[in-house]
Amino acid sequence: MAQVTRPRELSSPERLQAFTDAVVAIALTLLILPLMESVGDLADEEGTTAEWFDRERFALLGFALSFLLIAVFWVHHHRLFRVVRRVDSGLLWLTVGWMFTIVWMPVATALSTQMHPDWAQPLVYIGTLLATSVMLLTARLHLRRHPDLHTMDRVESAAGIRSGAIVAGLFFLALIVALIAPGLGNLPLILMVASEPLQRLSTRRLERAATA
Amino acid sequence: MAQVTRPRELSSPERLQAFTDAVVAIALTLLILPLMESVGDLADEEGTTAEWFDRERFALLGFALSFLLIAVFWVHHHRLFRVVRRVDSGLLWLTVGWMFTIVWMPVATALSTQMHPDWAQPLVYIGTLLATSVMLLTARLHLRRHPDLHTMDRVESAAGIRSGAIVAGLFFLALIVALIAPGLGNLPLILMVASEPLQRLSTRRLERAATA
Amino acid sequence: MAQVTRPRELSSPERLQAFTDAVVAIALTLLILPLMESVGDLADEEGTTAEWFDRERFALLGFALSFLLIAVFWVHHHRLFRVVRRVDSGLLWLTVGWMFTIVWMPVATALSTQMHPDWAQPLVYIGTLLATSVMLLTARLHLRRHPDLHTMDRVESAAGIRSGAIVAGLFFLALIVALIAPGLGNLPLILMVASEPLQRLSTRRLERAATA
Amino acid sequence: MAQVTRPRELSSPERLQAFTDAVVAIALTLLILPLMESVGDLADEEGTTAEWFDRERFALLGFALSFLLIAVFWVHHHRLFRVVRRVDSGLLWLTVGWMFTIVWMPVATALSTQMHPDWAQPLVYIGTLLATSVMLLTARLHLRRHPDLHTMDRVESAAGIRSGAIVAGLFFLALIVALIAPGLGNLPLILMVASEPLQRLSTRRLERAATA
């Protein structure tokens, strides 16, 4: 009977990883859809390539930024899943939630680069990034509560949570700034440059604590 | 000569799984296409992000619902394939049929969220979900008839079939309600909340029978 | 130096398979694009779901047919690659050519279901199917010439080539019929129902020859 | 503590390969999007399949060329990753950069086949190809500096770098020609036919040097 009622191991980490990879790869590639469409539109007006670059400057920037951000998120997700041994229901649905925010990214990017600017625009883009990082952070917290699911020791787990909290915290801060000063657009994301130094600071502290 | 005529093992479960994963991942991601298009359309009218959210409320809801449902279907399919050892012609084509209903989902979702409401709309959406669940249930029944294809014992197999029958039965019930009262749209899907309690009830009975 | 000049093993069969799977899965899913677009178009005219089904009957049929055909092609390709041990340059490029015809399928389908009928329409659709089957047949012939690439014995290899030649031959026949009577559209594809009986006939002969 | 601070192994080569494969497969397939759209457009004007082929001649050529080029790039990337044992941060981000240029290819192709010709058009297309080849060459140079990441010996590594430098050099030459004579369009790419003879020449020299 044990097999009927086994509640924890719902999926192999490998297959969930492969599925996640496919979803991220598609979202990454669908970022070009608005660019493809604008090529078609300008072609109808007998436009040239130089004109297209001039007109789509902002869309190109948005495409490059979102590509980079999704790649960074994928790397973070990937690093976490390297130490996952088993997938329980909680981790499964947190991963589905994380994928939802990734699939939403091309829409957030299109809104961010194509719409007439308003207060909602930066909130949607930065809010999506916040949601992605919170999903991953929650997955890390879930793993800490269930040591049987992974191969991290306490120190590694704590380092990961700290690192995820720094990223989520900075996105939250950027969201607050965007809420106060919507005229800045997605500029508050510049706060993310603080992520790397803060991470390094946190690691150093953690190491000092461990050797103490 | 045995190898020329071996009729049963047509595909490795791993490769069929990987192919299924890719198809589901793409269908999941293509759900955003109507949203992407509506961003482009509203951008042409100099609309703002807030206006877009207001106008696409229903499409957003449909996107989120279909994303969730495809994810749930994937999890169910995935759980079943974890115990599959070999793939015969029947299982292969049932999986292709299942994939067909998944690939159709973005179209059913687009019809459900973009069209002027009529009697056919909820039938198509709920009918698609019914078809997906019936395909998986048929795969379970096929596996029960061919014990050499999987590693489930009788109790597990019966539990899976019961569970699949509950889901398919509830979708069927929702379809009937939608047929009688088309004005409700996709609301009859609310019947699906009965799935979890019914599953638990069925599991308890099964366990009692097994221990008896 | 052996490693610099090794000319034969250019790719692992597993990775080439995985790549092929991804390409086929995407082509399979992109078949819905014209349907998605027509939903958007009819939505602009305040159409209903029932009207859409009525108007897109032919496109729906084409979608289902192409889905089925790509699935069948995938199964055939997949069965062949189960016995491939190593991939040389010839097999690699034949697989790329095969993928090219698969990626082209959504375009051939769109032409077949959306365009005003003319003599070229059935030629393109049936010609694409012929090209796919010829690519796979050529891969089989290539494998026969290079026994070090696969694990098939002579009987299996001959059976596969016979089977592939039957399929390609029937597509060729359908193409000829379409050339002579373009008014039939894709109807000459009905010749493919002869594939199964011809295959069985060929297998029986092969077995008789083997036991003789 | 070793595990917290291990800076080098960030990703398994297998998973990075699988992710890369998915991205390339999608980019390869999205090349058909402009063709799909033009089918829809001409269908609105009651056009025929023959008319479509006549009108889209150039777009079809561009599709076939880009399909071939992406396939070639994939094969080169794939060959390199067969010898990669571990992935460090540098290799990871070089691969992300390489993927970026691949995802950009459908846009460059659309610009190249749909826009009114201008000086920028060939620069974008040939420049994209140059960027892809430079990314792979840089990855090769990175691997040479870090022997712990791969299983190539010095001779193999040098051969790969020479080969990559020849390809990148020819793309650069083609870019220069396109800059001087923009009226030629993408014709300077014909220089790439020199790649194979130059490679063979370089291999022969390398072998002579090794046996000397």
Side-chain angles (χ1 to χ4, degrees):
Chain A
M1 275 314 295
Q3 280 176 303
V4 181
T5 51
R6 68 188 157 188
R8 300 293 302 280
E9 191 176 356
L10 295 171
S11 162
S12 75
E14 287 74 30
R15 199 175 168 201
L16 188 56
Q17 267 186 31
F19 186 62
T20 307
D21 281 5
V23 168
V24 175
I26 303 158
L28 203 63
T29 318
L30 292 192
L31 288 172
I32 62 163
L33 287 189
L35 297 177
M36 296 292 273
E37 208 184 304
S38 69
V39 170
D41 288 352
L42 192 56
D44 291 344
E45 307 169 27
E46 297 281 306
T48 64
T49 301
E51 281 165 32
W52 181 81
F53 269 90
D54 189 51
R55 198 191 275 195
E56 299 292 327
R57 254 175 321 182
F58 199 54
L60 285 164
L61 201 74
F63 161 62
L65 180 63
S66 291
F67 189 98
L68 183 71
L69 286 166
I70 294 181
V72 170
F73 282 133
W74 178 77
V75 169
H76 282 285
H77 186 266
H78 169 84
R79 272 189 222 173
L80 180 58
F81 262 73
R82 288 205 75 188
V83 296
V84 171
R85 278 278 160 88
R86 294 197 301 125
V87 177
D88 71 347
S89 184
L91 187 57
L92 179 66
W93 290 107
L94 284 168
T95 305
V96 170
W98 182 83
M99 282 193 269
F100 185 81
T101 66
I102 294 288
V103 169
W104 173 255
M105 271 295 282
V107 184
T109 306
L111 285 169
S112 205
T113 58
Q114 293 187 270
M115 285 325 216
H116 199 80
D118 70 344
W119 58 271
Q121 204 175 48
L123 295 192
V124 171
Y125 194 74
I126 300 175
T128 303
L129 300 172
L130 175 59
T132 310
S133 60
V134 165
M135 283 291 171
L136 196 63
L137 179 59
T138 315
R140 285 186 182 284
L141 293 168
H142 180 80
L143 286 175
R144 186 172 61 179
R145 275 197 310 277
H146 301 283
D148 54 315
L149 299 180
H150 61 87
T151 61
M152 284 185 286
D153 59 33
R154 278 170 173 249
V155 182
E156 281 180 288
S157 181
I161 288 166
R162 233 177 250 221
S163 163
I166 288 168
V167 171
L170 286 173
F171 277 129
F172 184 69
L173 212 66
L175 191 73
I176 297 295
V177 175
L179 206 60
I180 296 168
L184 293 174
N186 291 333
L187 223 73
L189 283 174
I190 212 135
L191 282 166
M192 298 317 290
V193 299
S195 169
E196 198 65 22
L198 285 174
Q199 306 269 12
R200 231 173 291 149
L201 204 75
S202 141
T203 307
R204 222 172 298 155
R205 268 201 201 173
L206 205 67
E207 286 179 342
R208 223 175 293 152
T211 53
Chain B
M1 277 313 298
Q3 281 176 301
V4 181
T5 51
R6 66 186 160 191
R8 300 295 301 281
E9 192 176 355
L10 296 171
S11 162
S12 75
E14 287 75 30
R15 198 176 168 202
L16 188 56
Q17 269 185 29
F19 186 62
T20 308
D21 281 6
V23 168
V24 176
I26 303 158
L28 203 64
T29 318
L30 292 192
L31 289 172
I32 62 163
L33 287 190
L35 298 177
M36 296 292 273
E37 208 185 305
S38 68
V39 170
D41 288 351
L42 193 56
D44 291 343
E45 307 169 29
E46 297 280 306
T48 64
T49 301
E51 282 164 32
W52 181 81
F53 268 89
D54 189 50
R55 198 190 274 197
E56 299 291 328
R57 253 175 321 180
F58 199 54
L60 286 164
L61 201 74
F63 161 62
L65 180 64
S66 291
F67 189 98
L68 183 70
L69 286 166
I70 294 181
V72 170
F73 282 133
W74 179 77
V75 169
H76 282 284
H77 187 267
H78 169 84
R79 272 189 223 172
L80 179 59
F81 262 73
R82 289 205 74 188
V83 297
V84 171
R85 277 279 160 87
R86 294 198 299 126
V87 177
D88 71 347
S89 183
L91 187 57
L92 179 65
W93 290 106
L94 283 168
T95 304
V96 169
W98 182 84
M99 282 193 268
F100 185 80
T101 65
I102 295 288
V103 169
W104 174 255
M105 272 294 284
V107 184
T109 306
L111 285 168
S112 205
T113 58
Q114 293 187 270
M115 284 325 215
H116 199 79
D118 70 344
W119 57 271
Q121 203 176 50
L123 295 192
V124 171
Y125 194 74
I126 300 175
T128 303
L129 299 172
L130 175 59
T132 310
S133 59
V134 165
M135 282 290 171
L136 197 63
L137 179 59
T138 313
R140 285 187 182 284
L141 293 169
H142 180 81
L143 286 175
R144 184 170 62 177
R145 275 197 309 277
H146 300 283
D148 54 316
L149 299 179
H150 61 88
T151 61
M152 284 185 285
D153 59 34
R154 278 170 173 248
V155 181
E156 280 180 288
S157 181
I161 288 166
R162 234 178 249 221
S163 165
I166 288 169
V167 171
L170 286 172
F171 277 129
F172 185 69
L173 212 65
L175 190 73
I176 297 295
V177 175
L179 206 61
I180 296 167
L184 294 174
N186 290 333
L187 222 74
L189 283 174
I190 212 136
L191 282 166
M192 297 318 290
V193 299
S195 169
E196 199 65 23
L198 284 174
Q199 306 267 14
R200 230 173 290 149
L201 204 75
S202 142
T203 307
R204 221 174 299 156
R205 268 202 201 174
L206 205 67
E207 287 179 340
R208 222 176 293 153
T211 53
Chain C
M1 275 315 298
Q3 280 176 301
V4 180
T5 51
R6 68 187 157 194
R8 300 295 301 281
E9 192 177 354
L10 295 170
S11 161
S12 75
E14 288 73 30
R15 198 174 169 204
L16 188 56
Q17 269 186 30
F19 185 62
T20 307
D21 281 6
V23 168
V24 176
I26 302 158
L28 204 64
T29 318
L30 292 191
L31 288 171
I32 61 164
L33 287 189
L35 298 176
M36 296 292 274
E37 208 184 304
S38 68
V39 169
D41 289 351
L42 193 57
D44 292 343
E45 308 169 28
E46 297 281 305
T48 65
T49 301
E51 282 164 32
W52 181 82
F53 268 90
D54 189 50
R55 198 191 273 197
E56 299 292 327
R57 252 175 322 181
F58 199 54
L60 285 164
L61 201 73
F63 162 62
L65 180 63
S66 291
F67 189 97
L68 182 70
L69 286 166
I70 294 181
V72 170
F73 281 133
W74 179 77
V75 169
H76 282 285
H77 187 268
H78 168 84
R79 271 188 224 173
L80 180 58
F81 263 73
R82 289 205 73 188
V83 296
V84 171
R85 278 278 160 87
R86 295 197 300 129
V87 177
D88 70 348
S89 182
L91 187 58
L92 179 66
W93 290 106
L94 284 167
T95 304
V96 169
W98 183 84
M99 282 193 270
F100 185 81
T101 66
I102 294 288
V103 169
W104 173 255
M105 272 295 283
V107 183
T109 306
L111 284 169
S112 205
T113 57
Q114 293 187 270
M115 285 324 215
H116 198 79
D118 71 344
W119 58 271
Q121 203 176 49
L123 295 192
V124 171
Y125 194 74
I126 301 174
T128 303
L129 300 172
L130 176 59
T132 310
S133 59
V134 165
M135 283 290 172
L136 197 62
L137 179 59
T138 313
R140 284 187 183 284
L141 293 168
H142 180 80
L143 286 175
R144 185 171 60 178
R145 275 197 309 277
H146 301 283
D148 54 314
L149 299 180
H150 61 87
T151 61
M152 284 185 285
D153 58 34
R154 278 170 173 246
V155 182
E156 280 180 287
S157 181
I161 288 166
R162 234 177 250 220
S163 165
I166 288 168
V167 170
L170 286 172
F171 278 128
F172 184 69
L173 213 66
L175 191 74
I176 297 294
V177 175
L179 205 61
I180 296 167
L184 294 174
N186 291 333
L187 223 72
L189 284 174
I190 212 136
L191 282 166
M192 298 317 290
V193 299
S195 168
E196 199 66 23
L198 284 175
Q199 307 269 13
R200 230 172 291 149
L201 204 74
S202 141
T203 307
R204 221 172 299 155
R205 269 200 200 175
L206 206 68
E207 287 178 341
R208 223 174 292 153
T211 53
Chain D
M1 274 315 296
Q3 280 176 302
V4 180
T5 51
R6 69 189 155 188
R8 301 293 302 281
E9 192 176 356
L10 296 171
S11 162
S12 76
E14 287 75 30
R15 198 174 169 204
L16 187 57
Q17 269 186 31
F19 186 62
T20 308
D21 281 6
V23 169
V24 175
I26 303 157
L28 204 64
T29 319
L30 292 191
L31 288 172
I32 61 164
L33 287 189
L35 298 176
M36 296 292 274
E37 208 184 305
S38 68
V39 170
D41 290 351
L42 192 57
D44 292 343
E45 307 169 29
E46 297 280 307
T48 65
T49 301
E51 282 164 31
W52 181 81
F53 269 89
D54 189 49
R55 198 190 276 196
E56 299 292 327
R57 253 174 320 179
F58 198 54
L60 285 164
L61 202 73
F63 161 62
L65 180 63
S66 291
F67 189 98
L68 183 69
L69 286 166
I70 295 181
V72 170
F73 282 133
W74 179 77
V75 169
H76 282 284
H77 186 267
H78 168 85
R79 272 189 223 173
L80 179 59
F81 263 73
R82 290 204 73 189
V83 296
V84 171
R85 278 279 159 86
R86 295 199 298 128
V87 178
D88 70 348
S89 183
L91 187 57
L92 179 66
W93 290 106
L94 283 167
T95 304
V96 170
W98 182 85
M99 282 193 269
F100 185 80
T101 66
I102 294 289
V103 169
W104 173 255
M105 271 295 283
V107 183
T109 306
L111 285 168
S112 204
T113 58
Q114 293 188 270
M115 284 325 216
H116 199 79
D118 70 345
W119 59 270
Q121 203 175 49
L123 295 191
V124 172
Y125 194 74
I126 301 175
T128 304
L129 300 172
L130 175 59
T132 311
S133 59
V134 165
M135 283 291 172
L136 197 63
L137 180 59
T138 314
R140 284 187 182 283
L141 293 168
H142 180 80
L143 286 175
R144 185 172 61 180
R145 276 197 309 277
H146 302 282
D148 54 315
L149 300 179
H150 61 87
T151 61
M152 284 185 285
D153 58 34
R154 277 170 173 247
V155 181
E156 280 181 287
S157 182
I161 287 166
R162 233 178 252 219
S163 164
I166 289 169
V167 171
L170 286 172
F171 277 128
F172 184 69
L173 213 64
L175 190 74
I176 297 296
V177 174
L179 207 60
I180 296 168
L184 294 174
N186 290 333
L187 222 73
L189 284 173
I190 212 135
L191 282 167
M192 299 317 290
V193 299
S195 169
E196 198 65 25
L198 285 175
Q199 307 269 13
R200 229 173 292 149
L201 205 76
S202 142
T203 307
R204 221 173 300 155
R205 269 202 201 174
L206 205 68
E207 286 178 342
R208 223 175 294 152
T211 53

